Amino acid sequence: MNHIALQDETVKEKLFPFTLTRSAADIRTGILTIREKWERIFQKNPLYLQAADGEQKLAINANIIPSEKYAGLLFSDKNNSGSVPYESVRVLEHPWHIFEFNDWAIREDFTLITSGRTSQPVSSSNKLTAPENVFLEEGAQVEHCILNASAGPVYIGKNALVMEGAMIRGPVAICEGAVVKMGTAIYGATTIGPNCTVGGEIKNAVLFGNSNKAHHGYLGDSVIGEWCNLGAGTSNSNMKNTAREVKVWNMARKQFDIAGTKCGLLMGDYSRCAINTSFNTGTVVGVCANIFGSGDLTPKYIPNFSWGLEAKYKFEKAIEEIRAWMKMKNKLPSEEQVKALHHIFEHY
């Protein structure tokens, strides 16, 4: 059987801050990470991987978001040109592409995951529109909520909890073990990653996993890494009040790039902010920043290991507090994670 090798070399710098702490293959967009998409596609379609001359590897850039159609064309003997149509694939060239492509990715993953399967029953206490596009995994709890899947699918993962009064308009993915608090308003295209807790208003955002936006406030056109926490009342701007193009800090090139007319908050892993933080349009936050004392809108770029907005975290204190946050979800950082964070602390 063939194997693919998801390569990072040419793509990691493009996707700062999210690839400081992970391979691009482990970025979540849609329901699954890029790596998980490849694994599911190949399990479902093993013929794509068979070759007559034995086992070999095909190198593919880790920032390519695949679909079943893309994989079929990629490995098809009939695809002599080697090209694939745009509708079958997306490529993450910038960090804001993670939320820009999320609508497409949720739809692709929903089909991939649910094809040939039957949803768990949805309680009659809920109000559903287009129930054929709603899928609940085993253990998902949803009562007294509004689920509108007419504009896109609504996927609720294993053991997720959606509390009373939540309003969800697809396409939306609530991943395994996530908690949606009472009265939360979630617009498409949004992904709430595994074990995240969310509340307030969320629109076209991706939370990777184990992060919290548990209170009122607005999160839109944004990407939040793992083990992040947004304090109560935190909101981000996603559009300039001039309606002009939003510029986002490019760490590799040390300059601002144009990200279109909408871009909110791009926050790296292990970062946190105080209550009532107001994030500027197109703000980039590095890894392990503790943000407080902004008073007004934050700067457009907040470096790794920031303490407030003017000092740097002491590494030992940062790790101590990461352990405290992770312990709240019954996890602890591994030795490898701590070493990786120390490398970032020293070199970035």
Side-chain angles (χ1 to χ4, degrees):
M1 178 177 287
N2 279 341
H3 298 278
I4 62 168
L6 298 176
Q7 296 190 336
D8 264 339
E9 287 79 2
T10 62
V11 303
K12 280 186 75 72
E13 286 192 340
K14 298 178 181 180
L15 300 173
F16 176 90
F18 305 109
T19 45
L20 275 181
T21 46
R22 64 175 53 76
S23 164
D26 295 313
I27 287 175
R28 186 176 304 278
T29 179
I31 302 171
L32 305 166
T33 66
I34 292 173
R35 187 190 306 274
E36 290 169 344
K37 297 175 202 292
W38 282 111
E39 290 171 350
R40 280 185 175 262
I41 288 169
F42 288 158
Q43 182 179 19
K44 191 173 181 181
N45 299 280
L47 291 178
Y48 292 158
L49 297 176
Q50 292 181 357
D53 57 351
E55 189 172 296
Q56 60 186 30
K57 289 186 178 181
L58 174 66
I60 295 177
N61 282 343
N63 62 331
I64 293 175
I65 309 174
S67 65
E68 285 193 279
K69 184 175 181 180
Y70 172 76
L73 291 169
L74 189 66
F75 292 99
S76 173
D77 293 335
K78 298 179 181 179
N79 184 24
N80 297 322
S81 68
S83 63
V84 294
Y86 175 75
E87 64 269 15
S88 69
V89 69
R90 297 291 187 275
V91 181
L92 298 176
E93 297 286 355
H94 304 283
W96 57 85
H97 282 167
I98 298 169
F99 69 78
E100 285 187 356
F101 298 158
N102 205 42
D103 185 304
W104 176 86
I106 289 175
R107 296 173 194 273
E108 291 291 332
D109 286 351
F110 186 85
T111 301
L112 180 64
I113 290 172
T114 67
S115 179
R117 301 175 60 218
T118 301
S119 170
Q120 295 296 305
V122 182
S123 169
S124 60
S125 71
N126 298 291
K127 173 66 175 177
L128 271 63
T129 304
E132 67 277 9
N133 294 330
V134 176
F135 194 96
L136 272 62
E137 296 284 5
E138 181 181 359
Q141 301 177 57
V142 188
E143 298 284 352
H144 303 285
C145 297
I146 298 173
L147 308 178
N148 184 349
S150 60
V154 173
Y155 174 85
I156 302 179
K158 184 178 179 181
N159 297 326
L161 171 61
V162 183
M163 295 183 182
E164 305 89 285
M167 299 171 287
I168 298 174
R169 182 180 178 86
V172 165
I174 312 294
C175 296
E176 181 174 351
V179 176
V180 178
K181 297 179 77 174
M182 290 191 295
T184 303
I186 303 179
Y187 300 80
T190 291
T191 295
I192 310 301
N195 304 310
C196 288
T197 299
V198 298
E201 182 181 3
I202 306 172
K203 171 243 167 189
N204 194 200
V206 178
L207 289 80
F208 282 0
N210 297 299
S211 290
N212 303 322
K213 182 223 171 293
H215 305 287
H216 287 289
Y218 175 72
L219 181 70
D221 299 290
S222 296
V223 183
I224 306 297
E226 288 199 82
W227 300 107
C228 297
N229 189 75
L230 306 184
T234 293
S235 290
N236 74 268
S237 167
N238 65 333
M239 190 173 185
K240 297 178 70 171
N241 61 10
T242 60
R244 293 187 177 179
E245 293 172 322
V246 179
K247 294 182 179 180
V248 174
W249 180 248
N250 183 315
M251 185 64 178
R253 300 198 298 168
K254 300 294 190 293
Q255 67 180 47
F256 285 93
D257 289 341
I258 294 173
T261 57
K262 286 191 176 183
C263 185
L265 171 63
L266 305 171
M267 176 179 275
D269 291 356
Y270 307 106
S271 288
R272 305 179 296 278
C273 68
I275 63 170
N276 297 321
T277 301
S278 297
F279 283 103
N280 212 331
T281 320
T283 295
V284 175
V285 177
V287 168
C288 200
N290 191 346
I291 303 157
F292 58 87
S294 60
D296 200 353
L297 290 172
T298 61
K300 296 271 288 183
Y301 172 57
I302 300 173
N304 302 316
F305 288 92
S306 290
W307 173 260
L309 297 175
E310 298 179 357
K312 188 170 183 178
Y313 240 148
K314 294 181 179 179
F315 182 75
E316 294 76 13
K317 183 175 178 62
I319 296 304
E320 177 185 342
E321 293 177 355
I322 286 173
R323 287 195 176 101
W325 277 100
M326 292 182 70
K327 191 174 180 180
M328 294 175 68
K329 294 182 186 279
N330 300 313
K331 301 283 186 180
L332 286 174
S334 66
E335 184 177 339
E336 290 75 19
Q337 287 173 311
V338 173
K339 287 180 179 178
L341 287 169
H342 190 263
H343 179 78
I344 294 168
F345 181 84
E346 292 291 339
H347 298 285
Y348 292 89

